Amino acid sequence: MALLDVIDLVVEFPTRRGTLRALDGISFSIEPGEILGVVGESGAGKSLTGSAIIGLLEPPGRVASGQIQFEGSRIDRLSPAQMRPIRGRQIGAIFQDPLTTLDPLMSVGRQLVETMQTHLKLSDRDARARAVQWLEEVGIPAAAERVEAYPHQFSGGMRQRVVIALALCAEPKLVIADEPTTALDVSIQSQIISLLKRLTESHGTSVMLVTHDMGVIAETCDRVAVMYAGRIAEIGPVADVVRTPSHPYTEGLMGSIPSLEARVERLRQIDGAMPRLGAIPQGCAFNPRCGRTIARCFTHRPDLMPAGATQAACWLVGGGAA
Amino acid sequence: MFAFILARLLQSVPVLLAVAFISYGMFAFVGDPVTAMLGQDFTAAERQAMIHQLGLDQPFYLQYLHFLWNVLHGDFGLSYRLARPVGELIAERLPATMELAVSAAVLSLLIGVPLGVFTGINRNSALARGLMTLSLIGVSLPTFLIGILLILVFAVLLGWLPSFGRGDVVHFSHWSTGLLTSSGRRALILPAITLGMFQMTLILRLVRSEMLEVMRSDHIKFARARGLSEHAIHFHHALSNTLIPVITIVGLQLGMLIAFSIVTETVFQWPGMGLLLVQSIGVADIPVMSTYLLLIAVVFVVINLVVDLLYFAVDPRLRSQGGR
């Protein structure tokens, strides 16, 4: 049984000028211990998927239909009180900007202790000892002394390590890492990613890694989901998606990655921009930017279809050309 | 920390000198205390003698230096009106004003902060909307009107509470308090509500808007994502992050409460400094007015110092920059 099952998830934002569909029928699953990467342009719905899973959609956003199942039971219809023991304990979260995700007025040790004591039966002393352990584990030097330190006394990279410790300290089975390195210095990014990978591996934690960075995906993830305009364009094992992309959008994404081996004058880019939520064209949402459209692309919207080792939402792979 | 306090106190010296100069100078040129003191019938000679006796025939700067010199020796002069040492008069009145101001401040904090948190968290509930509308009334109604309305309802119509005075007080050497007698406590209720009403609604609205701001922040979202309890999120993480602006405003408002309890004290005939000041202004009693202003300046200086020290207590970011 999969750890997390997202089934036909639809997230909508009611606005004054009608309802906007930000996620339109997303389905995927995450196995225990697996790292699923989620990529896509800004506004494709990556972070929103994460927020929906952890039940922290910003109002007025809401899950309009579909299901989110964690270990086989639905968690998308739970009350805040029922959801609270799941957050942190079963599903942890890491956010983008470590400079703003920590409470500036509370020492990192107390934030760790508070989080662990919320979910685990721990005495003050044990919780403190564990807090120091966690800081050591995420690579904070002199953890025993720095447990009393406040967030502003840490650098950005160190703060993200603290955030990771906080997300993992109640030993959740799944961590949603929402662009955990975007706000960090390039030189720190790979350290943080490898730390995350190492820790989740040793604790057997599954990860949903939301990122812009295909390089990170290729190095870190087991499978990857490519999102476009609120839908999954392609999903499958990383090696297959990276080497033999089936969806023209994925191809475009791969083409935009600079390579160290092949010298190219100019990186390929995908022309145009992703449509706004209110103006998604009929048929395939990617059709205005796609170089290989057929008639059907403008009339019918493709669902995910098997395409070799991956699944892609494209008529070209699903026999639509026939 | 000690150096910081010392620096602050030194900075306040020129402030106090300036306040002393302005207050003394301003009052020296308004009104005519001599005429007020002599009454209806007096000869020119009597008038001259009085002027000489009060030192009012000396040049202004000499009068000021004289005033300053005496103040530094703890002598605030004689009240023209009551012919008693000003220091004594103020010391008599100070406890009544402090009791009123502190009660009003405590009342406004005890009600304002929780209501601010409540309306900040449940901003769409009917109760919160109702409270916000009511708070508009508190912010916009003038103090004297609130006082008169309260007197009308609770003293005149219902007859529950006294309409004026301080009730029975208990004396401890230089201090007096009405908190230990039931009539003193009953007499305190209406004036304290009147004086604290504006502050309470101000604090309510301030805490609410700060809460709304903080609740949107990333660290609150992260606290939610860690499954912390609502109580911990609201009070440990959100409220503490609203404290800096709240402390600033509450500190200044406490100064305001002490300085401008004049209106409330007049409405309720509360025997405090404000009432003394109003009576002194009527007869241009310069020593009382100058000393009062000087005292208020000291109060503000002290409160600002306390506010700065509270910043250090609340915010670790400030502690690491300076302070030690």
Side-chain angles (χ1 to χ4, degrees):
Chain A
M1 184 180 66
L3 182 67
L4 180 83
D5 268 307
V6 175
I7 304 160
D8 210 16
L9 180 69
V10 176
V11 169
E12 289 181 340
F13 284 84
T15 68
R16 244 173 277 167
R17 284 171 298 151
T19 303
L20 291 180
R21 206 163 248 223
L23 290 184
D24 192 2
I26 300 273
S27 299
F28 65 92
S29 61
I30 299 179
E31 301 295 325
E34 184 184 45
I35 301 184
L36 174 74
V38 179
V39 279
E41 289 167 67
S42 301
K46 311 183 297 290
S47 301
L48 208 58
T49 310
S51 299
I53 292 168
I54 203 160
L56 287 176
L57 283 174
E58 302 269 342
R62 60 190 171 85
V63 174
S65 67
Q67 294 192 8
I68 300 167
Q69 292 180 357
F70 186 78
E71 294 189 312
S73 50
R74 283 185 73 169
I75 57 169
D76 54 301
R77 289 278 181 274
L78 296 183
S79 70
Q82 292 168 312
M83 196 62 201
R84 205 169 303 129
I86 295 176
R87 288 188 201 129
R89 181 74 185 94
Q90 306 290 342
I91 307 178
I94 297 168
F95 293 132
Q96 189 172 20
D97 188 354
L99 300 184
T100 57
T101 38
L102 295 168
D103 185 338
L105 304 186
M106 203 183 265
S107 71
V108 296
R110 266 195 65 201
Q111 298 192 40
L112 278 162
V113 167
E114 185 187 31
T115 309
M116 285 187 280
Q117 287 190 327
T118 302
H119 296 292
L120 312 169
K121 276 202 169 16
L122 284 176
S123 70
D124 289 351
R125 233 180 110 175
D126 291 350
R128 233 190 101 82
R130 275 237 197 142
V132 175
Q133 272 174 23
W134 269 110
L135 290 181
E136 273 165 6
E137 210 171 336
V138 295
I140 305 275
E145 289 135 53
R146 306 211 73 188
V147 70
E148 291 302 328
Y150 289 89
H152 72 272
Q153 292 164 308
F154 293 88
S155 67
M158 285 294 153
R159 281 193 227 187
Q160 195 64 313
R161 288 169 188 264
V162 173
V163 169
I164 290 173
L166 275 165
L168 295 177
C169 67
E171 317 227 325
K173 299 189 180 101
L174 170 68
V175 172
I176 296 169
D178 189 353
E179 308 201 21
T181 57
T182 307
L184 297 176
D185 227 51
V186 180
S187 57
I188 315 272
Q189 289 183 353
S190 64
Q191 288 177 23
I192 294 294
I193 288 293
S194 58
L195 172 75
L196 186 65
K197 183 161 175 153
R198 180 166 56 76
L199 280 180
T200 51
E201 224 165 57
S202 65
H203 289 264
T205 316
S206 304
V207 183
M208 178 178 149
L209 180 62
V210 174
T211 179
H212 289 289
D213 191 337
M214 279 308 295
V216 166
I217 297 273
E219 280 168 36
T220 320
C221 301
D222 303 310
R223 285 193 308 139
V224 59
V226 179
M227 290 191 66
Y228 187 80
R231 287 171 68 81
I232 291 179
E234 184 163 3
I235 184 168
V238 166
D240 300 288
V241 173
V242 171
R243 280 199 215 107
T244 55
S246 303
H247 197 288
Y249 178 63
T250 320
E251 263 175 51
L253 276 187
M254 299 306 146
S256 63
I257 303 170
S259 157
L260 284 179
E261 292 99 45
R263 285 191 146 270
V264 278
E265 285 300 304
R266 201 187 154 94
L267 287 172
R268 263 199 302 148
Q269 66 174 42
I270 310 173
D271 293 326
M274 201 170 66
R276 282 180 297 113
L277 287 180
I280 292 179
Q282 203 194 348
C284 174
F286 188 58
N287 65 34
R289 302 171 73 185
C290 186
R292 306 209 308 253
T293 48
I294 54 173
R296 200 158 182 194
C297 297
F298 296 96
T299 52
H300 294 79
R301 206 176 56 179
D303 286 321
L304 283 176
M305 289 167 269
T310 74
Q311 287 182 294
C314 180
W315 292 124
L316 297 175
V317 301
Chain B
M1 185 58 79
F2 178 72
F4 171 79
I5 295 175
L6 198 69
R8 267 308 166 87
L9 289 178
L10 283 178
Q11 279 169 19
S12 65
V13 171
V15 174
L16 293 178
L17 280 177
V19 170
F21 182 78
I22 292 169
S23 62
Y24 195 80
M26 195 163 65
F27 294 139
F29 297 107
V30 295
D32 181 5
V34 180
T35 315
M37 289 166 81
L38 286 171
Q40 296 288 321
D41 300 311
F42 55 87
T43 63
E46 277 172 343
R47 191 183 154 81
Q48 275 311 316
M50 178 69 93
I51 285 175
H52 182 71
Q53 190 197 331
L54 295 174
L56 296 178
D57 50 355
Q58 288 170 346
F60 169 72
Y61 71 91
L62 273 183
Q63 289 183 43
Y64 171 65
L65 288 177
H66 190 65
F67 171 74
L68 214 56
W69 181 252
N70 287 338
V71 163
L72 289 175
H73 291 79
D75 175 8
F76 299 95
L78 284 179
S79 158
Y80 297 162
R81 180 172 64 100
L82 300 165
R84 287 179 56 202
V86 174
E88 213 177 286
L89 282 174
I90 294 215
E92 268 172 24
R93 308 296 192 101
L94 187 67
T97 295
M98 292 303 284
E99 195 166 291
L100 179 60
V102 170
S103 307
V106 169
L107 193 74
S108 57
L109 278 174
L110 285 185
I111 300 176
V113 172
L115 286 187
V117 172
F118 173 80
T119 50
I121 294 166
N122 309 295
R123 63 170 160 162
N124 291 322
S125 79
L127 186 56
R129 282 166 193 267
L131 282 170
M132 287 309 290
T133 313
L134 278 181
S135 75
L136 265 184
I137 300 174
V139 170
S140 44
L141 266 191
T143 310
F144 71 89
L145 196 60
I146 295 175
I148 290 171
L149 286 176
L150 286 177
I151 289 177
L152 177 69
V153 174
F154 292 100
V156 179
L157 295 179
L158 296 170
W160 290 352
L161 295 165
S163 62
F164 71 93
R166 207 183 162 201
D168 299 325
V169 294
V170 179
H171 291 272
F172 300 98
S173 66
H174 292 296
W175 200 260
S176 67
T177 175
L179 291 174
L180 296 175
T181 66
S182 72
S183 78
R185 284 192 295 269
R186 279 158 45 85
L188 184 61
I189 295 174
L190 290 186
I193 292 176
T194 306
L195 187 59
M197 183 68 85
F198 175 78
Q199 327 293 332
M200 188 200 86
T201 48
L202 189 76
I203 291 170
L204 188 162
R205 298 180 75 88
L206 178 73
V207 170
R208 173 185 180 270
S209 63
E210 291 294 325
M211 280 295 281
L212 288 178
E213 187 75 30
V214 172
M215 291 302 284
R216 273 198 297 268
S217 64
D218 285 349
H219 70 85
I220 293 297
K221 193 180 173 195
F222 188 47
R224 284 241 157 82
R226 281 180 283 150
L228 300 185
S229 69
E230 291 292 301
H231 178 270
I233 289 170
H234 294 156
F235 292 95
H236 298 173
H237 294 282
L239 184 60
S240 55
N241 274 285
T242 68
L243 281 182
I244 289 275
V246 171
I247 287 172
T248 312
I249 299 292
V250 169
L252 287 178
Q253 291 299 321
L254 182 64
M256 295 286 193
L257 284 176
I258 297 169
F260 304 119
S261 61
I262 301 168
V263 174
T264 306
E265 292 191 5
T266 309
V267 170
F268 288 93
Q269 288 298 297
W270 187 263
M273 292 190 302
L275 197 58
L276 176 70
L277 180 70
V278 170
Q279 289 160 352
S280 303
I281 289 172
V283 293
D285 197 342
I286 297 167
V288 175
M289 293 191 284
S290 307
T291 309
Y292 178 82
L293 273 197
L294 204 53
L295 178 69
I296 295 304
V298 171
V299 165
F300 270 97
V301 165
V302 169
I303 286 177
N304 274 323
L305 182 62
V306 172
V307 164
D308 281 338
L309 293 179
L310 282 176
Y311 284 173
F312 285 119
V314 167
D315 197 333
R317 285 166 293 191
L318 296 172
R319 280 205 287 280
S320 59
Q321 281 163 21
R324 62 175 87 124

